[in-house]
Amino acid sequence: MDVRIVRVKIHPAIGIARVGNSTEAPFIGPESPDQKPADPGSYKDGSGAIRRQAARFRVYGYNAAGEVVRELKPGEAGVSEIQWTVHLANKKAAWYQFHVPLDIPEGKTLDAGQYARRNADVAGADRKKLVIDPGSRTVRGSMTETKKFDTGKIMDTAVYLGEISTRSDGRLTVLGGRGNSASYKNKPITGVANNDTWYDDVSDGPVTAKVRIDGSELVAAPAWVVVAPPDYAPGVKSIRTLYDLLLDVFVKAGSLARPQKISFADHIEPILRRFCDLQWVNQGFATQFGWTGPNFFLSPAMRKRLADPSGRNRELRRQIYVALRDYIRDGMSPVPWPWLYGDAMASRPKSVRQHITLSPLQDWMLRRWAEGAFQAAPLRTPRPTVDDAPVGEQPGLLDRAALEHCAAEAFHPGCEVTWPIRHPTMFAEPFRILHRAASTPEPDFGPTLTPQEVTVKNGPLYGQGPGDLTRWMAAPWQADTASCRSGYEALVPDLGPRYSPYLPTFWPAHVPNHVLKAEDFEKVNTPPASGDDSAREEAFERRATWLRGLKGDTNQQRTQMVKDWPKLGIVEVRDYTVGDGKFPDRIHVESRPAAPLDQAMDTANLVNLQVLEAGAPVLAAAAGAWPAEGPASETVEAERVARAVREAVEATGYREEEIAAGYLERLDPFHEAL
């Protein structure tokens, strides 16, 4: 192989960092799709604070044929310096409201006011004060250096967005903020995604590098970093990950090819495994796809049948494939798999996009599998540690690992990024964000941004600048995370025999719904004295509502989340040590929440009730149309929520503490409440 380096590239192409409130050492985000979750206790420090997840970047040299030669490090093979530059920003407060993605048909049906800017009362040059932009920072890879993003402000309030550092091995580490969110006018939380005057400290921006090698300077193909909220279940992957979605984008665009061969081990089992792994974060999935459940795809007997391409098991494969959602056949039915909300989710469904489908590429591979056109054996070797992989594989592993631990389920708006990411115009090449030149000012799109305007040439779906990926997300993120639940219902009479409080759900792989408590795991992991396993089985099957510690109506809970988000448990992987095979060898267990959340009733906030009649005063007040005479809009809203809770208690037998009720405008994007 030619070892002359003519090009250099940064990997991962998109790195993911996550906020945390711990002042202790961070942990490095996943660097291989095969990497095992960290040991229990790795995600929180001794005080219970959440550690920040760092995004780590490397530079690789390529020859003229496009082959990877080696990772470049200062002091090795002619490399004298790597100069890194990162520019983080947060533009949420200065961007436009989010209600539904603007690239789906439902995006064209919103009210005119829903296309408006956030903080629309801030006008002219003052709108620049809504952007938290500390500028770029540069560090040298040959040194141990740290530079902080601590000079950005929103309305003269300083906001720390993170820092970058090097450790003389040439690699760059990017850390984000500490999860601080507030209102610069001390206003209350009133909604999920568009809280005016509110800001947070997530961010994103370009990562660039210059490499001095053999006396010449090479400019690396650049990367991007996204600073996201915490992943509260880091050992669980979404059924449709961000990597799956982007791979499909590039296959459709013709820049990547579909796999020539389908392997059960490489292409099919990972999808089926994710259905099963959601058992640790959602009780509905646990019942159907969990340990000993009717569709537990991971049991040895079931796996043997699923991996058999012969005609003997064709009908089993076909039935699993047919169970997957198809919009043309299924419409708005919640029954087909996967049981996950979609881009146009509304508490009164109006669209087939009420639920998600798998990506077209995932669907194609599963269809081939159902037909028997696959091999059982793997085509690739697992690489749990990226540094142990052949150098030619390392860039691809880094690119994939970061994205496989991100959600691409409902872009409503999402966990890390949202719907613009699925447009090929956003990319310079597969997985590599197209940078807007620093000398090119961001266009002013005016007081509104409509679906027709959003797709214009060189508009917001083309070259990106600092803060451009996360600006579409909820402000602040805690309000959205506190609202990402399961089994939403808008009508009290429907809380009946056909209602499940567990399904469908939003992003349980990152924002859990129902979890196995540490106390119950301890019972499971203790051998029975009498040989009777019934108590252990009951403990294993029991799940607690993950957000059980939040109190009050939905606005009060979202407000509490701004303060208490670090107190929530992290779902970690623990070993089952009894060794009798009666339970899984690896069990995902919630770490103990901090006080007072640890004292909450297990089933608190189990039922999620959207009170549409409480939306009318909320929406009228937001539009300035609530009459000045008579009771305040907040009073009417609270009365209607309380009445709905009383009716639900009487109709269903659920206790008041088990019902989380209120009006969530994000679940009413088409304003049925008016």
Side-chain angles (χ1 to χ4, degrees):
M1 183 181 75
D2 180 8
V3 297
R4 291 176 299 169
I5 293 173
V6 299
R7 294 189 63 199
V8 294
K9 295 184 179 184
I10 303 171
H11 295 278
I14 301 175
I16 305 294
R18 297 184 186 273
V19 301
N21 67 323
S22 173
T23 58
E24 296 186 9
F27 65 94
I28 304 297
E31 296 190 303
S32 169
D34 311 309
Q35 186 173 321
K36 303 301 180 185
D39 293 334
S42 299
Y43 301 103
K44 287 194 172 188
D45 64 23
S47 71
I50 293 180
R51 297 182 188 273
R52 289 185 287 178
Q53 174 179 308
R56 184 162 63 185
F57 295 88
R58 316 174 187 208
V59 176
Y60 285 83
Y62 289 74
N63 63 20
E67 299 169 312
V68 182
V69 177
R70 65 179 184 273
E71 181 185 353
L72 304 183
K73 298 181 179 182
E76 295 183 7
V79 178
S80 57
E81 188 60 272
I82 300 176
Q83 179 178 290
W84 293 96
T85 299
V86 181
H87 190 164
L88 296 180
N90 178 309
K91 295 179 176 176
K92 289 184 178 183
W95 196 237
Y96 298 86
Q97 297 177 25
F98 180 93
H99 295 279
V100 296
L102 298 182
D103 63 345
I104 60 176
E106 293 77 17
K108 298 178 181 179
T109 67
L110 300 177
D111 294 338
Q114 292 176 290
Y115 300 122
R117 287 167 164 161
R118 292 169 176 157
N119 299 292
D121 59 325
V122 180
D126 283 346
R127 290 201 64 81
K128 293 183 179 179
K129 296 181 180 180
L130 296 170
V131 176
I132 306 169
D133 187 354
S136 65
R137 300 290 188 270
T138 298
V139 289
R140 292 165 292 176
S142 64
M143 309 288 289
T144 298
E145 289 190 313
T146 297
K147 297 285 183 66
K148 295 183 177 182
F149 295 97
D150 57 359
T151 58
K153 296 180 179 180
I154 182 168
M155 291 297 182
D156 300 322
T157 298
V159 182
Y160 164 82
L161 292 184
E163 58 198 68
I164 59 174
S165 62
T166 49
R167 293 292 182 269
S168 76
D169 61 357
R171 297 173 180 174
L172 171 77
T173 298
V174 181
L175 288 172
R178 300 197 182 278
N180 295 321
S181 300
S183 163
Y184 60 79
K185 283 191 174 181
N186 201 30
K187 286 192 173 184
I189 290 280
T190 57
V192 177
N194 305 302
N195 289 285
D196 280 354
T197 76
W198 277 82
Y199 62 90
D200 58 31
D201 58 5
V202 305
S203 62
D204 69 279
V207 179
T208 59
K210 297 178 181 178
V211 181
R212 193 75 180 172
I213 180 170
D214 295 329
S216 299
E217 185 175 85
L218 296 179
V219 177
W224 206 268
V225 64
V226 173
V227 179
D231 182 351
Y232 286 100
V236 182
K237 295 181 182 179
S238 297
I239 291 175
R240 186 182 68 185
T241 70
L242 189 54
Y243 176 79
D244 296 321
L245 180 139
L246 292 184
L247 182 62
D248 186 75
V249 166
F250 302 129
V251 167
K252 283 182 183 176
S255 51
L256 290 178
R258 291 193 304 196
Q260 295 182 350
K261 295 181 179 180
I262 301 300
S263 156
F264 176 77
D266 294 337
H267 301 116
I268 306 303
E269 188 172 31
I271 300 174
L272 301 180
R273 176 178 294 278
R274 293 173 197 164
F275 277 87
C276 298
D277 284 350
L278 290 183
Q279 68 178 297
W280 308 118
V281 289
N282 179 278
Q283 189 160 353
F285 276 87
T287 301
Q288 185 66 226
F289 302 102
W291 178 259
T292 72
N295 283 293
F296 182 56
F297 301 128
L298 305 181
S299 72
M302 176 64 90
R303 189 188 183 283
K304 181 179 179 181
R305 295 184 64 191
L306 297 175
D308 173 21
S310 75
R312 278 177 56 193
N313 291 297
R314 181 178 182 182
E315 184 57 20
L316 172 62
R317 299 192 305 270
R318 180 159 49 196
Q319 287 191 18
I320 292 172
Y321 176 72
V322 168
L324 296 168
R325 180 171 290 106
D326 177 85
Y327 286 146
I328 296 174
R329 178 195 66 184
D330 303 318
M332 292 186 293
S333 172
V335 175
W337 303 345
W339 297 322
L340 300 169
Y341 287 127
D343 286 359
M345 186 274 183
S347 49
R348 287 185 179 173
K350 298 183 68 173
S351 165
V352 296
R353 279 164 288 278
Q354 176 76 7
H355 308 100
I356 76 158
T357 62
L358 297 184
S359 75
L361 182 59
Q362 285 178 310
D363 184 87
W364 175 80
M365 293 189 297
L366 284 161
R367 186 170 72 248
R368 297 275 291 168
W369 166 73
E371 295 166 350
F374 71 99
Q375 67 179 51
L379 296 168
R380 61 179 291 268
T381 302
R383 308 292 187 187
T385 304
V386 67
D387 289 305
D388 293 340
V391 70
E393 296 182 23
Q394 291 179 14
L397 293 172
L398 292 166
D399 290 351
R400 180 173 178 176
L403 299 173
E404 272 206 355
H405 289 81
C406 297
E409 286 148 9
F411 282 143
H412 204 275
C415 287
E416 297 87 9
V417 292
T418 188
W419 63 271
I421 202 73
R422 62 187 170 205
H423 287 261
T425 55
M426 297 274 290
F427 296 89
E429 61 181 64
F431 306 109
R432 204 169 293 278
I433 295 291
L434 176 64
H435 292 214
R436 185 173 67 245
S439 59
T440 303
E442 180 179 5
D444 183 346
F445 298 105
T448 61
L449 184 64
T450 67
Q452 294 76 21
E453 295 165 336
V454 79
T455 56
V456 297
K457 182 72 173 178
N458 295 322
L461 304 186
Y462 287 78
Q464 302 297 293
D468 284 1
L469 296 190
T470 54
R471 62 186 173 179
W472 306 86
M473 308 301 288
W477 67 265
Q478 291 96 334
D480 189 24
T481 299
S483 307
C484 298
R485 306 188 186 184
S486 60
Y488 279 103
E489 183 52 67
L491 300 172
V492 171
D494 287 347
L495 297 175
R498 294 187 181 275
Y499 170 74
S500 167
Y502 310 117
L503 298 166
T505 175
F506 272 108
W507 309 285
H510 305 286
V511 182
N513 307 133
H514 321 102
V515 292
L516 181 67
K517 293 172 61 177
E519 301 94 296
D520 285 326
F521 170 73
E522 290 166 5
K523 295 175 184 176
V524 171
N525 204 35
T526 302
S530 63
D532 181 3
D533 283 315
S534 57
R536 292 204 300 156
E537 291 168 353
E538 182 180 351
F540 179 79
E541 294 166 3
R542 186 164 43 241
R543 297 291 188 270
T545 307
W546 181 64
L547 290 172
R548 60 192 180 277
L550 301 185
K551 296 182 179 181
D553 63 27
T554 51
N555 275 333
Q556 291 169 327
Q557 293 193 14
R558 291 193 288 261
T559 300
Q560 181 185 348
M561 187 71 167
V562 171
K563 174 175 64 75
D564 284 350
W565 64 270
K567 297 181 179 180
L568 293 162
I570 303 287
V571 179
E572 304 171 316
V573 181
R574 303 194 185 186
D575 291 325
Y576 174 63
T577 59
V578 176
D580 56 10
K582 294 182 178 180
F583 298 97
D585 292 336
R586 305 271 280 172
I587 297 177
H588 298 236
V589 182
E590 177 201 45
S591 64
R592 284 185 174 84
L597 276 62
D598 59 336
Q599 300 301 310
M601 180 176 68
D602 283 0
T603 54
N605 297 325
L606 175 64
V607 175
N608 294 292
L609 186 59
Q610 164 80 323
V611 186
L612 279 171
E613 57 267 32
V618 172
L619 295 173
W626 187 257
E629 66 277 4
S633 62
E634 296 88 348
T635 301
V636 176
E637 176 191 3
E639 290 173 350
R640 293 179 179 181
V641 170
R643 183 172 65 244
V645 171
R646 290 194 299 269
E647 292 174 356
V649 169
E650 292 176 7
T652 67
Y654 284 112
R655 288 174 285 183
E656 185 173 332
E657 299 91 335
E658 294 177 299
I659 301 171
Y663 174 72
L664 283 78
E665 89 292 341
R666 188 190 62 171
L667 305 187
D668 183 29
F670 312 113
H671 287 181
E672 292 284 323
L674 290 177

